[in-house]
Amino acid sequence: MSEKPFASSEDLAEKVETFEVIAPGVYAMSAEGDPNVGAIEARDYLICIEARATPVAAQSWLRRLREETDKPIRYLVLSHYHAVRVLGASAFGAEEIVAHTNTRDLILERGKEDWDSEFQRMPRLFKEPESIPGLTYPTMVFRDHMEIDLGGDRGTIHLSWLGKGHTKGDIVVWLPREKVLFAGDLVEAEAALYTGDAYHLEWASSTLDKVKSLGAEVLVGGRGKVVYGEKAVDNAIEQSRDFLNTLISETAKTIEAKGTLKDAFDAVYKALAPKYATWPIFEHTVPFDVARVFDELNGIADPIVWTKERDLEIWNQLQR
């Protein structure tokens, strides 16, 4: 058995939440490496971004948001499907839940398995799990691009699928006038990347190239602090790319040398730790990251479904 606590199962300390007005009518909340959330004011309604793991967990965010605006929530945008991001959706009372069509497919394929897996990995995020009414399904999906007119002189926001990445269904929310980007888990700002359901080769190349080409000056990543300034945004993107490229290169070398999954994990951990070991959820993510990239480089195109049993099997195999 592993000597290290499983995933984030012993990360039970509450995190300090930071609420920010990042542009007029544009809000975000971060929490020391926990999943970030955001909101955008239209003239007559709100667009919320991400939902947290349970309706109860979403309440501290919604209470703080209501100090700024009492507009009704018309859209809840889900950047992708992972249980900690979406199962709190019922707290928002949104008219529409928006996601990529591939995200809907992932929920249908592995929704309950992912819920069970993430609850085992990150129990602290699931405040009062009995408050979850069931799986969250989008009511509105799109493939490449969707625009929402904010009304009056507030402009338009763009929801875009830029390619496969953290999952096959990640979307970004882009405010071109304010140059604010909600990147979901395609980019993390000084937080380790979880890549257990990823498409590493596409993510590290064309997908991040498209993210960078937007020219954002404020970035809300999936985890970590809100990043301000074009240089800082580029640094966050390139840090994420470096993390991915290290996973890819060290695993590729191991496969070429006919090494095992455990050999790949040891090589990746050694290469990543000097830069990233102090970042949130690093110890949690790396075993699952290596398992997925090892599969991908061995020709398994789509991620294998994570279950509670598979989680423990991989963890104990690699962390002993």
Side-chain angles (χ1 to χ4, degrees):
M1 295 292 290
S2 167
E3 295 179 359
K4 294 183 179 180
F6 172 70
S8 295
S9 61
E10 294 190 11
D11 177 11
L12 302 178
E14 289 296 317
K15 308 299 183 184
V16 176
E17 296 182 329
T18 301
F19 181 91
E20 298 177 62
V21 181
I22 56 180
V26 184
Y27 311 104
M29 184 176 275
S30 58
E32 298 185 297
D34 278 359
N36 295 336
V37 288
I40 301 163
E41 277 195 66
R43 181 180 60 187
D44 302 317
Y45 59 86
L46 283 172
I47 301 158
C48 286
I49 303 163
E50 315 291 28
R52 291 192 164 176
T54 72
V56 170
Q59 288 302 325
S60 62
W61 157 237
L62 290 170
R63 282 193 297 269
R64 182 61 186 86
L65 182 61
R66 288 311 184 194
E67 294 177 16
E68 305 292 330
T69 174
D70 62 358
K71 293 175 182 176
I73 299 169
R74 179 173 296 179
Y75 299 101
L76 173 61
V77 177
L78 305 177
S79 69
H80 64 284
Y81 178 67
H82 277 132
V84 294
R85 300 281 181 185
V86 308
L87 293 180
S90 63
F92 291 77
E95 293 180 27
E96 301 284 358
I97 299 174
V98 184
H100 191 265
T101 183
N102 287 341
T103 293
R104 179 185 57 193
D105 293 345
L106 286 170
I107 296 167
L108 293 170
E109 177 192 53
R110 61 184 68 197
K112 188 59 169 65
E113 290 83 356
D114 184 84
W115 178 352
D116 293 340
S117 166
E118 294 210 338
F119 181 71
Q120 178 178 250
R121 293 185 192 183
M122 296 172 277
R124 178 179 53 79
L125 298 181
F126 287 81
K127 294 180 180 179
E128 298 188 31
E130 64 277 6
S131 67
I132 302 169
L135 289 171
T136 297
Y137 294 95
T139 61
M140 180 180 293
V141 296
F142 67 95
R143 288 198 174 274
D144 296 315
H145 189 77
M146 174 178 169
E147 295 184 9
I148 299 175
D149 185 349
L150 299 178
D153 62 353
R154 292 177 180 263
T156 302
I157 68 168
H158 300 255
L159 312 183
S160 297
W161 182 78
L162 302 178
K164 293 178 181 177
H166 173 73
T167 70
K168 67 179 180 179
D170 298 79
I171 61 173
V172 301
V173 181
W174 171 233
L175 289 76
R177 186 169 67 179
E178 295 85 354
K179 294 188 179 298
V180 172
L181 179 66
F182 290 86
D185 279 341
L186 289 174
V187 180
E188 311 284 23
E190 298 191 6
L193 275 66
Y194 174 69
T195 73
D197 295 307
Y199 297 78
H200 295 78
L201 299 175
E202 187 169 341
W203 184 3
S205 54
S206 60
T207 299
L208 282 182
D209 287 345
K210 291 173 185 175
V211 172
K212 191 170 184 177
S213 72
L214 293 172
E217 295 180 2
V218 182
L219 181 141
V220 184
R223 295 175 183 263
K225 296 179 180 179
V226 179
V227 175
Y228 295 90
E230 189 171 357
K231 182 176 180 181
V233 171
D234 283 350
N235 285 342
I237 294 168
E238 292 309 319
Q239 287 167 358
S240 297
R241 195 194 308 267
D242 179 68
F243 193 101
L244 292 167
N245 281 334
T246 302
L247 279 168
I248 294 165
S249 63
E250 293 299 323
T251 304
K253 286 184 217 175
T254 302
I255 292 171
E256 186 177 359
K258 302 191 184 306
T260 64
L261 177 60
K262 180 63 165 66
D263 294 331
F265 171 78
D266 291 341
V268 167
Y269 190 97
K270 182 178 179 180
L272 286 175
K275 285 187 182 180
Y276 304 112
T278 61
W279 287 14
I281 71 167
F282 176 81
E283 295 289 347
H284 172 158
T285 62
V286 176
F288 307 117
D289 294 355
V290 175
R292 169 55 191 151
V293 73
F294 193 86
D295 283 349
E296 184 177 358
L297 296 181
N298 274 301
I300 299 175
D302 294 310
I304 298 170
V305 176
W306 290 101
T307 64
K308 293 191 300 182
E309 296 76 18
R310 182 169 179 244
D311 285 356
L312 291 170
E313 177 187 349
I314 292 295
W315 184 271
N316 292 323
Q317 179 182 351
L318 299 185
Q319 289 281 33
R320 66 177 184 269

